[in-house]
C-alpha cells in the first residue's frame, strides 16, 4: 500500500486457536457509488484507495470513474490486491475495532465483503488466497474466495510480534522480530513460508533489518520493504530494502543524495511515505515524520528506483504510482493540513488523490485519502517515468522566507550583487559594497567568499525594520516542529539545507517552549540590505540585530 506507518507499531499478541470459529459475516461492499461519472458504465478497477475519515475503500477504473468498494468500521491496515485483481484483502489495524480485529476480503465482481474475526498479524496474497499470521506466531491462516479458511502449522514458530510483510507467488514473507539484546531496537529478520508452512530464511539467515511495511512485486517473485531504524519516538531513519524469493542476499541501496533530497532537509530524520512497484522498478517517496516535524509539500520528494539507480520524479507527493498506457496516480501533500478532530483516529497525513488517464487528462478521485494501490497488472505494465529536473534557484527570490513580497528596489540590488558574484567580478562587488563593514569587504577578496555570497543570495530574505536580510532566519528563527508559532516554512527548510545552518544551541532559546530543532544562522551567514536616504537601496554588510 502506498502509505507507510511513521513508526513500527506492534500491539500485544493475542492467541488464536487451532481452528477459527465460523467464516464470519458476508455483506455488500458499499452499494451506492462514491465519486464521479455515475451515468457511465464502470470498467474493471485499476486501483483502490482509502478514505479513512469517510470510512470507505474506493475503486477506480481506467477512465477515472470511482465507486465505493467497501465501508470501513475500523482503520484499514495492509490493503492488498489479489494477483489477478479480482479481490482486495485488508485487516483492521490493531486497537481500532471495538468488536475485535477482523480480516476482510472484497470480491470485486459481486461487491461482497467477507469479514472474519481474526486475532492475526498482517495480510498478503499467496496465489488467490489471502494469508495472514496467527497472533501466537505458530501458523499461517488462508482465506479462499469461497469463504473457506484453513491453517498451516509453521515448521519454525515465529515470535508474538511477527507479521506477514508481503505476499508472493509461491510463498509469503514474514517479518519476525529479533531479541533487542542481540540485534538492537526494532530489528527483524525476513523469512519466507510456503503453503505447507515450511519456513526458509532470506539469506543470510537472521540478518537484522528494521521494518515498516512491505510490497510484493507484480510477478510475486520479489519483495520490497521500507526500513525504519529508530532512535526514539521522533527519530526514525527510513530506506528501502529489496530481496527475491530463493535468491541469496538482498539489495540495500543508499538514499538519494541529490539537490531535491538535500533541499528537503531529511538527512537525520526521514521516512518512506510511499512505496509501489512500477514496471521493472519502484516508486519511492521520502518525507518528514508527521507529528514531529514540519510538513510543507516541498519536503516530500519522490524517486524511481531501478537497478540500484535513483531518478528524481517530483516533489510534493506523499506517494506516486504508475499503470499501463501512461496512467498515473499522485497523492498530493496538502498545503495546509486539516486539523484532526478529537474523535478521529490517529490518521497519517491525508491528501487529494489525482489520477492521470491514458489521454493525459487529470481527475481528482478523492479528498482526504491516506493511501492507494494499483492492481498488479497495472503496476506490471507501467513504463519507467521520465526524470524531472532538479529544483534550482537561478534568481533572487521574489518572496521572503515567510511568503511576504520583497521590495522591488532591494531585490534588484540583491540580483546585481548575485550576478557580480557569479561572474567573479571582485571590482564590481567592491563598488556595490562601498558602505559595507570591513569583515564583509575582506570576504569579497577571496574566491571562496564570492562563492558563499552566491549561495547566500540563493536563500530567501526576511523583512527587517527598514530593509531585508539574507537568509530571513537571521531576522526570525524557526523550529522544525508542527503547529508552533515559528514552525519552519518550506522556504526556511530550503535555506537551512542550502546554507548548512546548524541546530541552535539550546542555551539561546527556551527549550521548554519548543521540543523540535530550532535554527538561526551565525553572524557570518547574514547579508543586510536596507533603504537609505532618498529611497536608495544599500548593501551594508552583515546583519546584527
Amino acid at each position: 500500500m502506498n502509505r507507510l506507518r511513521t513508526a513500527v507499531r506492534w500491539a500485544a499478541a493475542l492467541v488464536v486457536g487451532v481452528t477459527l470459529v465460523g467464516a464470519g459475516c458476508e455483506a455488500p461492499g458499499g452499494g451506492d457509488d462514491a465519486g464521479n461519472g455515475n451515468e457511465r458504465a464502470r470498467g474493471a478497477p485499476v486501483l483502490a484507495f482509502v478514505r479513512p475519515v469517510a470510512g470507505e475503500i474506493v475503486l477506480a477504473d481506467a477512465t477515472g470513474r470511482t465507486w465505493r468498494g467497501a465501508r470501513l468500521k475500523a482503520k484499514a491496515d495492509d490493503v492488498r490486491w489479489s494477483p489477478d485483481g479480482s479481490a482486495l484483502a485488508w485487516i483492521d489495524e490493531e486497537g481500532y475495532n471495538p468488536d475485535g480485529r477482523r480480516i476482510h476480503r472484497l470480491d470485486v465482481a459481486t461487491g461482497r465483503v467477507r469479514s472474519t474475526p481474526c486475532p492475526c498479524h498482517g495480510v498478503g496474497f499467496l496465489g488467490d488466497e489471502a494469508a495472514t499470521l496467527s497472533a501466537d506466531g505458530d501458523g499461517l491462516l488462508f482465506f479462499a474466495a469461497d469463504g473457506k479458511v484453513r491453517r498451516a502449522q509453521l515448521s519454525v514458530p515465529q515470535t508474538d510480534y511477527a507479521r506477514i510483510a508481503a505476499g508472493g507467488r509461491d510463498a509469503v514473507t514474514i517479518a519476525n522480530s529479533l531479541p533487542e539484546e542481540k540485534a538492537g531496537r526494532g530489528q527483524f529478520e525476513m523469512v519466507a513460508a510456503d503453503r505447507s508452512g515450511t519456513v526458509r530464511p532470506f539469506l543470510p539467515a537472521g540478518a537484522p533489518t528494521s521494518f515498516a511495511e512491505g510490497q510484493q512485486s507484480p510477478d510475486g517473485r520479489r519483495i520490497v520493504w521500507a526500513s525504519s531504524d529508530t532512535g526514539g519516538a521522533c527519530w526514525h531513519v527510513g530506506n528501502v530494502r529489496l530481496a527475491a524469493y530463493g535468491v541469496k542476499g538482498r539489495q540495500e541501496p543508499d538514499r538519494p543524495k541529490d539537490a531535491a533530497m538535500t533541499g528537503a532537509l531529511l538527512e537525520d530524520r526521514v521516512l518512506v511515505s510511499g512505496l509501489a512497484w512500477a514496471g521493472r522498478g519502484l516508486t519511492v517517496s521520502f518525507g518528514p515524520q508527521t507529528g514531529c516535524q514540519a510538513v510543507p509539500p516541498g519536503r516530500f520528494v519522490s524517486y524511481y528506483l531501478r537497478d540500484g539507480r535513483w531518478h528524481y520524479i517530483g516533489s510534493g507527493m506523499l506517494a506516486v504510482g504508475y499503470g499501463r498506457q501512461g496512467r498515473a496516480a499522485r497523492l498530493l501533500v496538502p498545503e495546509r493540513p486539516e486539523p484532526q478532530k478529537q474523535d478521529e483516529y490517529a490518521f497519517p497525513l491525508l491528501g487529494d488523490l489525482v489520477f492521470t488517464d491514458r489521454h493525459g487528462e487529470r481527475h481528482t478521485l478523492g479528498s482526504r485519502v491516506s493511501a492507494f494501490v494499483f492492481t498488479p497488472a497495472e503496476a506490471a505494465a507501467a513504463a519507467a517515468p521520465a526524470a524531472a529536473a532538479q529544483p534550482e534557484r537561478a534568481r533572487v527570490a521574489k518572496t521572503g522566507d515567510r511568503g511576504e513580497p520583497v521590495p522591488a528596489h532591494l531585490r534588484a540590488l540583491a540580483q546585481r550583487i548575485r550576478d557580480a558574484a557569479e561572474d567573479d567580478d571582485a571590482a564590481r562587488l567592491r563598488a556595490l559594497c562601498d558602505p559595507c563593514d570591513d569583515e564583509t569587504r575582506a570576504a569579497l577578496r577571496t574566491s571562496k567568499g564570492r562563492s558563499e555570497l552566491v549561495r547566500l543570495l540563493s536563500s530567501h530574505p526576511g523583512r527587517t525594520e527598514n530593509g531585508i536580510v539574507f537568509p530571513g532566519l537571521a531576522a526570525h528563527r524557526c523550529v522544525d516542529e508542527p503547529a508552533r508559532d515559528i514552525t519552519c516554512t518550506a522556504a526556511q527548510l530550503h535555506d537551512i539545507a542550502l546554507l548548512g545552518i546548524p541546530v541552535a544551541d539550546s542555551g539561546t532559546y527556551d527549550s521548554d517552549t519548543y521540543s523540535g530543532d530550532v535554527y538561526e544562522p551565525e553572524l557570518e551567514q547574514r547579508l543586510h540590505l536596507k533603504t537609505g536616504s532618498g529611497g536608495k537601496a544599500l548593501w551594508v554588510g552583515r546583519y546584527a540585530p
Side-chain angles (χ1 to χ4, degrees):
M1 198 65 180
N2 282 16
R3 173 194 55 85
L4 303 177
R5 285 170 291 277
T6 59
V8 179
R9 299 172 54 199
W10 305 120
L14 300 174
V15 179
V16 68
V18 175
T19 58
L20 294 180
V21 180
C25 58
E26 186 176 345
D32 56 315
D33 287 346
N36 52 49
N38 291 337
E39 71 283 357
R40 293 184 284 113
R42 67 176 68 150
V46 298
L47 65 80
F49 60 94
V50 181
R51 299 184 68 225
V53 178
E56 62 182 5
I57 292 178
V58 183
L59 306 179
D61 67 14
T63 68
R65 185 179 189 272
T66 62
W67 64 98
R68 182 182 293 114
R71 295 184 182 274
L72 299 174
K73 293 184 178 180
K75 192 175 179 183
D77 197 10
D78 295 341
V79 180
R80 312 292 193 189
W81 279 106
S82 64
D84 61 2
S86 66
L88 271 175
W90 66 95
I91 193 169
D92 298 336
E93 188 161 320
E94 291 191 72
Y96 285 97
N97 192 339
D99 299 326
R101 198 173 204 195
R102 292 172 177 259
I103 190 170
H104 311 271
R105 178 173 176 143
L106 165 67
D107 184 295
V108 171
T110 64
R112 309 292 291 187
V113 177
R114 294 181 184 273
S115 298
T116 307
C118 184
C120 42
H121 296 157
V123 64
F125 273 91
L126 202 172
D128 61 356
E129 291 182 310
T132 186
L133 182 67
S134 62
D136 57 12
D138 286 346
L140 292 178
L141 305 172
F142 296 96
F143 299 80
D146 60 5
K148 293 182 179 179
V149 182
R150 69 180 182 88
R151 178 186 174 108
Q153 188 74 17
L154 290 176
S155 62
V156 180
Q158 305 298 290
T159 65
D160 291 346
Y161 299 102
R163 64 177 291 155
I164 295 292
R169 190 186 66 174
D170 303 309
V172 293
T173 302
I174 299 172
N176 186 39
S177 61
L178 293 170
E180 185 170 332
E181 61 272 16
K182 292 183 178 180
R185 174 187 286 183
Q187 296 296 300
F188 297 78
E189 64 173 337
M190 309 299 282
V191 300
D194 62 20
R195 289 178 174 83
S196 69
T198 301
V199 175
R200 295 183 177 87
F202 278 104
L203 298 175
T209 179
S210 58
F211 172 80
E213 190 166 325
Q215 297 280 339
Q216 75 178 78
S217 62
D219 63 7
R221 298 176 182 272
R222 296 175 293 163
I223 65 163
V224 61
W225 67 94
S227 64
S228 182
D229 290 305
T230 177
C234 281
W235 293 91
H236 290 79
V237 179
N239 209 340
V240 294
R241 302 287 182 253
L242 299 98
Y245 285 105
V247 177
K248 183 177 181 179
R250 66 190 189 207
Q251 300 175 43
E252 300 187 0
D254 292 333
R255 286 191 308 277
K257 298 179 181 179
D258 55 7
M261 181 64 80
T262 299
L265 197 66
L266 298 173
E267 182 176 354
D268 294 331
R269 290 187 283 176
V270 56
L271 290 175
V272 177
S273 64
L275 182 64
W277 291 95
R280 294 178 58 189
L282 294 159
T283 60
V284 185
S285 296
F286 296 97
Q289 188 167 336
T290 304
C292 296
Q293 295 172 272
V295 290
R299 206 170 190 185
F300 291 80
V301 285
S302 298
Y303 296 85
Y304 182 68
L305 174 64
R306 178 175 168 181
D307 300 328
R309 298 181 62 185
W310 296 98
H311 300 279
Y312 172 67
I313 54 177
S315 295
M317 298 175 285
L318 286 161
V320 56
Y322 296 93
R324 69 173 77 240
Q325 298 178 320
R327 288 189 279 272
R330 297 171 176 86
L331 184 53
L332 304 182
V333 180
E335 288 286 345
R336 293 178 178 82
E338 294 185 33
Q340 293 184 8
K341 299 177 181 178
Q342 290 185 352
D343 58 347
E344 289 181 353
Y345 297 141
F347 295 126
L349 200 60
L350 307 177
D352 291 344
L353 181 61
V354 176
F355 177 72
T356 303
D357 64 23
R358 61 179 296 188
H359 304 294
E361 296 182 3
R362 294 190 175 188
H363 316 262
T364 299
L365 300 188
S367 61
R368 305 197 78 182
V369 174
S370 64
F372 73 90
V373 60
F374 273 110
T375 63
E378 280 288 304
Q390 288 286 329
E392 59 179 339
R393 183 174 301 281
R395 300 186 65 79
V396 174
K398 294 181 180 180
T399 57
D401 64 341
R402 297 193 293 192
E404 70 276 16
V406 178
H409 67 299
L410 296 175
R411 180 175 179 272
L413 173 58
Q415 189 64 57
R416 290 197 298 272
I417 298 170
R418 193 180 191 279
D419 290 343
E422 278 193 311
D423 294 338
D424 210 24
D425 190 338
R428 188 178 174 197
L429 286 171
R430 284 196 299 272
L432 290 169
C433 196
D434 183 59
C436 289
D437 56 77
D438 293 340
E439 291 85 356
T440 300
R441 285 197 295 269
L444 297 180
R445 299 189 189 106
T446 67
S447 177
K448 179 181 178 182
R450 294 188 287 272
S451 296
E452 288 297 315
L453 188 58
V454 173
R455 213 159 58 111
L456 194 57
L457 286 166
S458 298
S459 67
H460 297 79
R463 297 293 296 270
T464 62
E465 184 176 352
N466 64 340
I468 58 174
V469 58
F470 290 84
L473 286 166
H476 40 249
R477 64 190 177 202
C478 78
V479 61
D480 188 9
E481 185 181 354
R484 293 293 189 173
D485 56 338
I486 59 168
T487 295
C488 294
T489 66
Q492 290 168 336
L493 292 165
H494 167 274
D495 297 346
I496 293 165
L498 173 73
L499 302 175
I501 298 173
V503 177
D505 187 333
S506 59
T508 65
Y509 64 92
D510 183 1
S511 58
D512 293 332
T513 301
Y514 305 112
S515 59
D517 292 332
V518 175
Y519 294 92
E520 55 184 343
E522 302 294 337
L523 181 62
E524 60 269 17
Q525 287 182 307
R526 303 177 179 190
L527 182 151
H528 191 195
L529 307 181
K530 72 176 185 178
T531 303
S533 60
K536 182 179 180 181
L538 299 174
W539 178 13
V540 295
R542 298 180 181 182
Y543 175 73

